[in-house]
Amino acid sequence: MLITSIGDIVHPIGRKDEKGLIHLLGTGFFIKKTGLLVTAAHVVGNTDKDLLILLNDFNQENGYQDETDNNCVGFKATIKEIDPIHDICILKTDIKAESNFNITCSDGLTVGQNLTFWSYPHCNHGRKILTYNVAPLGAKVMINTHGLKTKSIILNTHSQIGLSGSPVLNTANEIVAMIIGSYIPNNYELGSVSVGGIDPQTINQTTRAISAEYIGDML
Amino acid sequence: MCIINLIDSAKSGDWIKCLPAYQQKAINEWYDISGDYNIVADNWQKTTYEMYAPCGNTPTSKKLYFEQVLCEIEDLLRGNDKYKDLLKEINSIKVISYTALSTLIANSIADKIGSASVFIAPLIMLALETITQIGVKAWLNMRAKQGKENV
């Protein structure tokens, strides 16, 4: 079944705990292969135990998503492919759906152009609100990962938990990148200060997205 | 076929070729730089947890999967009881490709470690490449000696 509505394409990813409660982890999106979604590898971690794709209520008749409704429908997801270098994970579900979004890359983008992305910001607080955002492309960068250079783009928007795994779209509605986190300095020291579980160095930072070509390499 | 004979008869690169192309690419690039599969494995597991602070969250602490993988492979090659079913299955197969063998090993070890097979498979293949380079017997002797030195 071909899905074209953004509400059907972009979903929150969650995991059920031993008490049966579902914790939201980030964002994922259906691609042009039946039953497959893409998200950031760190959203999923190293195991697909109790991992779920959750439905949203974006397509309500009155146009409002109901944040008072804590019920959700989830579908089991398993890790099909994982690339920790580019922070990409492909999940497999039994949902017989594929999206109409083409996956391209960030090569053709111009610094300054506006890009859109859809995500579930602050989903770690239980918010299951599919949110639209527009951000200018601030920079195109090659990031060094132990000697391997990877293409990324930097969006001029403050990163928030829940954005990881969001598809970044150009004006032709093609997926050019996927958000994977804050863009912080290379000499960043892990865990130097933590306030409420958050390192202050990582907030008020711009947002990094990995070129979608690495998703294509995994298909 | 005996698993030890299978590993000893492998050639360099046979195990890495069992991985998906996108994983092979990164591993081969790293190996071209370092020439050492242990360094490649270290890079791989460090990259897993050196994420750029996922959207305001504090990066999680690093877990050293490679040593866990090495311990499990050592248990497997020493015929530990927890791998008796896997060893029985491998011994009963007359002809097996490295791809099929690597899948059996990766699935079994991933189950013991509690990780997805596709996540841990690169570390397992890198370990097997190292073992193939020096031979199973020599590797097990080295592990035994390291174990005594750590006591």
Side-chain angles (χ1 to χ4, degrees), chain A residues 177-192:
Chain A
M178 179 182 72
I179 290 178
I180 60 173
S182 303
Y183 181 49
I184 55 173
N186 270 344
N187 59 354
Y188 172 73
E189 286 183 20
L190 294 175
S192 45

Side-chain angles (χ1 to χ4, degrees), chain B residues 9-82:
Chain B
S9 61
K11 296 186 201 57
S12 178
D14 277 347
W15 301 107
I16 302 301
K17 285 176 195 163
C18 300
L19 296 169
Y22 68 91
Q23 290 181 345
Q24 285 187 47
K25 186 167 179 268
I27 285 171
N28 287 333
E29 280 187 43
W30 270 331
Y31 188 69
D32 286 343
I33 295 170
S34 67
D36 185 337
Y37 284 122
N38 286 312
I39 293 176
V40 175
D42 197 40
N43 286 347
W44 185 272
Q45 64 175 355
K46 275 183 184 168
T47 305
T48 308
Y49 292 94
E50 272 178 4
M51 55 195 87
Y52 281 87
C55 294
N57 204 356
T58 301
T60 55
S61 59
K62 294 174 188 173
K63 278 188 187 177
L64 299 178
Y65 282 106
F66 195 45
E67 183 52 38
Q68 276 186 279
V69 162
L70 293 176
C71 288
E72 292 301 325
I73 292 177
E74 185 178 0
D75 285 344
L76 170 65
L77 295 177
R78 292 195 192 282
N80 188 295
D81 265 357
K82 62 183 170 181

Side-chain angles (χ1 to χ4, degrees), chain A residues 159-213:
Chain A
S159 55
Q160 300 145 50
I161 294 174
L163 262 58
S164 294
S166 305
V168 180
L169 306 165
N170 60 13
T171 49
N173 257 358
E174 295 168 324
I175 298 172
V176 293
M178 179 182 72
I179 290 178
I180 60 173
S182 303
Y183 181 49
I184 55 173
N186 270 344
N187 59 354
Y188 172 73
E189 286 183 20
L190 294 175
S192 45
V193 174
S194 178
V195 179
I198 295 178
D199 186 332
Q201 282 192 93
T202 70
I203 57 177
N204 289 329
Q205 295 284 1
T206 46
T207 299
R208 177 187 169 195
I210 195 86
S211 174
E213 71 186 72

Side-chain angles (χ1 to χ4, degrees), chain B residues 126-139:
Chain B
L126 287 164
L128 289 173
E129 285 290 351
T130 302
I131 297 169
T132 292
Q133 281 178 337
I134 64 173
V136 172
K137 193 175 171 184
W139 186 76

